Amino acid sequence: MKLTVAGFDFVAIAPEVILSLGAMLILVGGLFVKRAMLPALTVLVLLGSMGALIPGLGDNVRAFDDTVALDGFALFFKAVLLLSALLSVLISMRFLKEEGGPAPEFFTLMLFATAGMMLMASATDLMLVFLALETFSLALYVLVAFRRRRLDSQEGALKYFLTGSFASAFFLYGIALIYGATGSTRMLAIASTASSSSLLTAGLALLIVGLAFKVGAVPFHMWTPDAYQGAPSPVTGFMAAGSKVAGFAVMLRLFHNVFASLVWDWRPALIAIAAVTMVVGSIIAISQTNVKRVLAYSAIAHSGFLLIGVLSVNDQGITGSMFYLAVYAVTIVAAFGIVHAVGGVGEETVSLDDYRGLGARQPFLAGSFAILLFSLAGLPPTAGFWAKFEVFKAGYSAGQAPLVVLALLSSAVAAFVYVRVIWLMFFEAPVASSDDLVTAPPATGLVVFIVCGLVLFLGIQPTPLLDLVRHVTFVFH
């Protein structure tokens, strides 16, 4: 039985409500419970939010006066975001134990950020999208700066905050122009009234700027390397997964559902952004000597690949993008978990030289990292291969063959970057200063083991997840 008041379906926002209430309880309860209990309480809140997704299964309705969608598309992304947050919480346990950060605030911010990301994925009103975007952005700004005494952390957070503020202003101004052109901020109303005009085109351009910033697309990517490097690795993995999933969820809903009829107004801009993003991310990654910056530029390149699915405007594009985002989210969280384990206290060992001979010093971490890097490179037999295959196939079907060829070339360049790290781990002798004692905390080891198993399983048998995303529903299509 569903809880409704005046037509408002509270099942649509129950997961976000549980996260928000849980965040406030943890913030206050942190004064009265033992510090060691906070991760377990956070996990319980996340599991409770996952359970709140179940009553909405099979629904395809609009709630709260057409501002929130309760459909398969939203539920899928909420599940991916909750899983990413759960894995990140488990990985962060060592960080908080060894570096002594304020644990209640940390977990509260992670829960609020997750709630904002989830609401962004289900919002069907542009103003609600903006509010959700700001909710998780503000939480991430603070999480990036969580190491308060480190200059690189403060520098990364400041760059992220300043550029993020500009991006939010562009996004909000775009909403204002679209409202002026259509008379509404509701996506359903915009879809039924939108027609090509200079005012609407300008609004769309500004929306693209705001969303491109959130997913780290070029030329709005300048915050990414510094924020990724300065943030604690558990935060970096969570940010890399969550912001990309939330941003692309909005892009898919907007450009496949709302503005599909105006495809020739926005597709040229996205093609240009996708092309430059793939090339810049893949090439600049080659010159990096810090593993976190390598993964940062890798994340930029992946945004370019995902944009192919967005601009395809076909069912294959939606299917491929959803599969890609799910695989990428868990992979990047686990990858940064390994970076954190290898980095040690304070993450002092994050250069490529520190990974020389890691296969001999810690075979489990090195082998797992190799699997994850193979998946990020899109090589079989990993899930990353099928992720890229589905997205590229969608782009080719939409007549974007030149862009797909460029994506394949960029993937080859990116693969060189990943293989270089693998070569250092297994075929190079460790430098004299390398610490022979590299240990994986039990929680991090469990996360890495599960994710690697999932990546290999989906690489061999991708059908279950592909079938799931092929049958997702939209409140309007």
Side-chain angles (χ1 to χ4, degrees):
M1 182 175 180
K2 296 182 179 180
L3 177 60
T4 59
V5 177
F8 293 166
D9 191 348
F10 286 92
V11 173
I13 60 168
E16 290 90 338
V17 170
I18 290 173
L19 290 180
S20 301
L21 291 176
M24 290 185 281
L25 288 174
I26 287 174
L27 184 61
V28 176
L31 301 172
F32 307 102
V33 301
K34 293 182 179 179
R35 181 190 180 92
M37 294 180 59
L38 294 176
L41 292 175
T42 306
V43 169
L44 286 176
V45 172
L46 290 168
L47 292 176
S49 184
M50 287 183 181
L53 297 176
I54 297 174
L57 293 175
D59 283 344
N60 191 36
V61 298
R62 298 184 299 274
F64 294 94
D65 195 21
D66 290 344
T67 61
V68 178
L70 180 57
D71 55 8
F73 181 82
L75 290 176
F76 176 83
F77 281 119
K78 287 182 180 183
V80 171
L81 289 165
L82 285 169
L83 178 59
S84 301
L86 179 61
L87 298 178
S88 300
V89 167
L90 294 175
I91 292 171
S92 67
M93 291 168 63
R94 169 176 162 172
F95 160 68
L96 291 170
K97 181 179 179 180
E98 293 180 343
E99 300 193 29
E105 293 88 334
F106 182 88
F107 293 120
T108 295
L109 289 167
M110 288 198 74
L111 290 176
F112 274 127
T114 306
M117 293 168 182
M118 291 168 60
L119 189 59
M120 193 171 172
S122 61
T124 54
D125 182 276
L126 292 178
M127 284 305 301
L128 187 59
V129 171
F130 175 75
L131 292 174
L133 184 150
E134 289 303 293
T135 298
F136 85 76
S137 294
L138 290 172
L140 288 180
Y141 297 152
V142 180
L143 285 171
V144 171
F146 215 72
R147 287 184 169 128
R148 291 171 292 179
R149 294 177 177 84
R150 288 187 51 159
L151 291 178
D152 59 347
S153 181
Q154 302 309 305
E155 179 185 352
L158 185 61
K159 288 181 179 179
Y160 188 20
F161 171 70
L162 292 176
T163 54
S165 299
F166 279 109
S168 297
F170 279 113
F171 190 83
L172 190 59
Y173 193 23
I175 294 174
L177 294 181
I178 290 174
Y179 177 80
T182 64
S184 178
T185 59
R186 304 284 197 274
M187 291 186 187
L188 184 63
I190 293 171
S192 61
T193 60
S195 59
S196 185
S197 67
S198 57
L199 190 62
L200 184 58
T201 301
L204 267 173
L206 294 176
L207 285 190
I208 290 174
V209 170
L211 292 173
F213 169 85
K214 288 302 171 186
V215 301
V218 178
F220 314 105
H221 68 294
M222 301 307 293
W223 61 275
T224 308
D226 294 303
Y228 277 41
Q229 180 180 353
S233 287
V235 172
T236 307
F238 174 66
M239 174 173 61
S243 59
K244 206 172 294 292
V245 170
F248 275 105
V250 173
M251 281 190 173
L252 288 170
R253 197 181 287 278
L254 283 175
F255 297 119
H256 282 249
N257 295 163
V258 181
F259 298 115
S261 61
L262 305 176
V263 62
W264 293 111
D265 287 342
W266 55 262
R267 179 180 269 171
L270 280 191
I271 290 175
I273 292 173
V276 177
T277 300
M278 292 184 293
V279 172
V280 170
S282 299
I283 291 178
I284 297 185
I286 297 175
S287 63
Q288 303 304 307
T289 58
N290 182 297
V291 173
K292 296 177 78 171
R293 294 184 76 89
V294 168
L295 292 176
Y297 281 103
S298 163
I300 292 168
H302 280 285
S303 292
F305 301 142
L306 279 160
L307 283 171
I308 297 176
V310 174
L311 60 85
S312 63
V313 196
N314 55 31
D315 290 340
Q316 286 181 329
I318 295 176
T319 298
S321 297
M322 293 177 72
F323 185 93
Y324 199 128
L325 286 164
V327 171
Y328 178 81
V330 295
T331 302
I332 201 66
V333 169
F336 275 105
I338 293 174
V339 171
H340 181 59
V342 176
V345 180
E347 293 183 11
E348 299 297 335
T349 54
V350 290
S351 72
L352 289 180
D353 284 339
D354 296 317
Y355 282 74
R356 294 181 186 272
L358 184 64
R361 293 180 286 139
Q362 179 49 271
F364 170 71
L365 286 180
S368 301
F369 202 33
I371 292 172
L372 298 175
L373 292 176
F374 273 125
S375 185
L376 290 172
L379 299 176
T382 63
F385 169 77
W386 293 107
K388 286 189 176 179
F389 176 78
E390 291 294 324
V391 167
F392 294 170
K393 182 174 69 173
Y396 182 81
S397 300
Q400 302 300 320
L403 192 61
V404 172
V405 171
L406 182 61
L408 290 171
L409 294 174
S410 299
S411 294
V413 175
F416 167 78
V417 177
Y418 302 128
V419 171
R420 179 179 62 165
V421 178
I422 295 171
W423 179 272
L424 290 173
M425 291 192 297
F426 291 100
F427 300 103
E428 294 278 348
V431 296
S433 60
S434 292
D435 186 359
D436 292 331
L437 260 166
V438 177
T439 59
T444 300
L446 177 63
V447 168
V448 170
F449 178 78
I450 292 173
V451 172
C452 286
L454 185 63
V455 164
L456 290 174
F457 172 76
L458 290 176
I460 299 169
Q461 184 57 266
T463 307
L465 184 56
L466 283 173
D467 285 344
L468 176 65
V469 296
R470 283 183 183 131
H471 293 93
V472 296
T473 55
F474 289 87
V475 292
F476 56 93
H477 198 291

